[in-house]
Amino acid sequence: MSQTARQMSIGMNILGFGAHASAWRKAEVPANAYLDVEYYRNIARISERGCLDAIFLADGPALAGDIAQHPAGRLEPTVLLTAVALATRHIGVIATASSSYNDPFNLARRFSSLDHISGGRAAWNVVTNAGDAAAQNFGLAGAPRHVDRYARADEFIDVTLKLWDSWEDDAIIGNAASGQFADPHKVHSIDFVGEHFSVKGPLNLPRSPQGRPVLVQAGSSEGGKALGSRYADAIFTTQTTLPDGQAFYQEMKQRARQWGRNPDHLKIMPGLSTVIASTEAEARARFDELNAYSGEAGLVQQLAFRIGLPPDELDLDAPLPWERIGPVSEFERGSHGFLEAQLNLARRENLTIRELSRRILVGHRLLVGTPEQVADTLEHWFRAGAADGFNIMPDMFPSGVEVFVDQVVPLLQQRGVFRREYTGSTLRDHLGLPYPASQYQRAAEAV
Amino acid sequence: MSQTARQMSIGMNILGFGAHASAWRKAEVPANAYLDVEYYRNIARISERGCLDAIFLADGPALAGDIAQHPAGRLEPTVLLTAVALATRHIGVIATASSSYNDPFNLARRFSSLDHISGGRAAWNVVTNAGDAAAQNFGLAGAPRHVDRYARADEFIDVTLKLWDSWEDDAIIGNAASGQFADPHKVHSIDFVGEHFSVKGPLNLPRSPQGRPVLVQAGSSEGGKALGSRYADAIFTTQTTLPDGQAFYQEMKQRARQWGRNPDHLKIMPGLSTVIASTEAEARARFDELNAYSGEAGLVQQLAFRIGLPPDELDLDAPLPWERIGPVSEFERGSHGFLEAQLNLARRENLTIRELSRRILVGHRLLVGTPEQVADTLEHWFRAGAADGFNIMPDMFPSGVEVFVDQVVPLLQQRGVFRREYTGSTLRDHLGLPYPASQYQRAAEAV
């Protein structure tokens, strides 16, 4: 392959002990490892050994899940990823934070700080947080409606981008001899007055190494697609079948064009959960061993949560109860993207609930197989116009990231679709995204 | 001295390039050093070499000062101090954050994360932020009134402590074999409903190594004193004369008793700005050299800001215009503590404005002198019942922290008032504070 062949991007999604809810039961690491910064640093170092683009941390501001049976609680991502960034040199760090339960000034500043400290490797994954538990930690009785959360998110992102742009690149003069520190004409109040926020600015930090931290967005609802295609640099999405993945990819690129953007600068990255072993039989055994801890009920419970129905009302050997599932656009109990992805897979392959539950992990398409099978799938989706890259969710850490980096990545490299070394220093470089000019600089130049 | 002699605590306050506004002009480090994590790590390592208790970062969520002439902007403290903590092993890290412009859940979680990651070395310095610039970044036309900011702060701290306590110490079982992760009876909703906040909880993080991060409070107003004596582990205060320092110390210990607290567990730490050299003449020359950059006007400008009057209306060779200065308790343009400290010094020593401006740096008592003179002052205040420790603000970094650690600390050690090595692992250990039981654990045991 030539140097200039299109390359895929790969993010490593660190979901606690792994994507499988029973990963902690295997005890590859102690039960308190998820509170230990070294646990995350180790995964990041392994990922960097494989030249991956970034590590990714999901998040939500509430205690989720059944703490009697599953590890719960999470270190705050911007703090944790600061620690991780300083133990690595190249890999990007993507932190999730809520637009519903933060203020733009504080969030913009924290991510700018992370971008400064990491030398240009920070990204913000914006989420709006369905679910009442988070809302109840912030003075609300329950989550705002889907449409309202996305309206707030839109304004939140607009303010955040303005704050990140509020110092022009060359605002600092830094002449100790003359005593000129900055050019005040290159530091701009943003004077934002909107429906949800009024923010004067400027940010109390100079522009960060990437200009702006990378913006990642993960919603696949109508609101999420509108938001992501307008603002995001990368879209994390759940796509369970190739045709749906291709359709989503085409739609998002088209939407980006409609916003006047270069569609190449919007990277589409579906999630893929993985259970990998040298042979398919071994991979199935590994999956079965994890499933055995909580039995089939564990898998079905997660599926039930995603589609918003009580698990004990589901008949495992029947198809989905389609008549009980309303339009995705009116779903208020969780992620529209997850719901749609489960429905798409069940419909296209005519699966029973039991079958469907074994094809999905943490809401994403699951691949149980060999390194070759995983590489085949990634290459296929990448070449078939369904993905610019992938968000990988191994079943279990650290073994799941080790096998991916040591056995899948070399295959992708041999096939010419993944880098053999880092060629840039920032996450924007890895993703093939240009450095964004400050919107205030453009305005000044236009005068 | 015996092992058990009372020891002072010392915090190192990293104020940009140093406490002197012209420190950056000396160019001991590049003009962008304040954005470089290595700058802070270096200061922290030097401080740790001197066995200091903690480093401290002030903060406010707005761009402050004249950016044409002075470095402006700050990395967000919890993110920055995560980076610093991981480059050190013992020293505490104290981050300032606003109770007026944060949510308790997010703040409690971020500081808990820092406490987990640092192995029990985190502290929150709670400030309420006078000044309109911060307010205007958070949807307000101007800062809430002093009394309202402190009412919110009181409730904010109450919620935060409850969140930090919401997991009992032994809530995690972590038995991978049996699948028991936590005892749900030891993880408590806090169900807080107040005037400013409604927070259900629990925090989405287990209890941190110190039980609760150390709570520092810096207000010396009536509201600040009430708040600090009730909740704080340590009080940072500005005291410009020994009698005032002694009176404040006595008052705060008495207030702590009235809240039913052990007064030994409330540490009083006045600030001290330092300009240190081998001889008094050299120290004065160092101070004069820094002053020369912006001339006398620079010092007077800072004084004028602290007392809330325009600098060009001040007669440098006259006393303070007492008739133009109203009661401290009604001062809405800045810190009550700073105002009172300047007034106390001018009044007790009958100083002109010019004289007063040379006795104060960043609002705190300034000592220009030799290592012996600094050690004498610290020891005197410590033994005379005016301080349990000090918050040191060197004129300039890194030389100001180097001379303090290498020349002042050894004198304090020889005199038996400061440790020669760390004897504990947490900031609470350094400060001589006990591990706090969870309020929910106490409630459970009482049943």
Side-chain angles (χ1 to χ4, degrees), chain B residues 167-188:
Chain B
W167 292 57
E168 294 182 34
D169 292 331
D170 57 351
I172 294 185
I173 299 164
N175 188 331
S178 70
Q180 293 172 284
F181 181 73
D183 179 348
H185 300 293
K186 294 185 174 177
V187 181
H188 305 270

Side-chain angles (χ1 to χ4, degrees), chain A residues 25 59 68 73 109 137 176 181 204, chain B residues 25 59 68 73 109 176 181 201 204:
Chain A
R25 304 290 303 278
D59 197 56
R109 185 180 180 212
N137 289 329
F181 181 72
N204 56 351
Chain B
R25 304 288 304 277
D59 197 57
R109 183 179 181 212
F181 181 73
N204 56 351

Side-chain angles (χ1 to χ4, degrees), chain B residues 25 30 49 107 116 136 164 176 183 189 192 195 225 243 248 252 254 259 292 300 320 328 333 356-357 387 394 396 428:
Chain B
R25 304 288 304 277
R49 191 172 80 211
L107 184 141
H116 277 288
Q136 290 164 0
W164 285 340
D183 179 348
S189 293
F192 185 92
E195 201 174 321
K225 286 190 283 195
F248 180 81
M252 293 303 287
Q254 181 57 28
W259 290 113
V300 174
L320 283 177
V328 172
R333 302 183 63 181
L356 178 59
S357 74
M396 192 160 43
R428 283 188 187 280

Side-chain angles (χ1 to χ4, degrees), chain A residues 10 81 84 101 118 141 162 164 181-182 194-195 203 211 218 230 249 273 291 294 310 334 337 348 356 362 391 399 431:
Chain A
I10 300 177
L81 289 179
V84 169
Y101 308 116
S118 65
K162 286 181 164 69
W164 284 340
F181 181 72
E195 202 174 318
L203 192 63
R230 180 171 189 178
Y249 186 95
S273 295
N291 290 340
S294 57
R348 285 196 186 269
L356 178 60
V362 285
N391 189 22
S399 60
L431 293 170

Side-chain angles (χ1 to χ4, degrees), chain A residues 340-382:
Chain A
E340 187 158 38
Q342 331 286 292
L343 302 185
N344 284 345
L345 180 59
R347 194 184 287 118
R348 285 196 186 269
E349 304 197 11
N350 198 25
L351 302 177
T352 66
I353 287 176
R354 188 189 306 275
E355 290 164 341
L356 178 60
S357 74
R358 295 180 63 93
R359 297 282 298 277
I360 296 285
L361 211 56
V362 285
H364 288 269
R365 187 167 56 106
L366 169 65
L367 212 153
V368 181
T370 66
E372 288 73 17
Q373 288 172 321
V374 174
D376 288 349
T377 298
L378 296 182
E379 187 184 358
H380 186 197
W381 278 55
F382 178 67

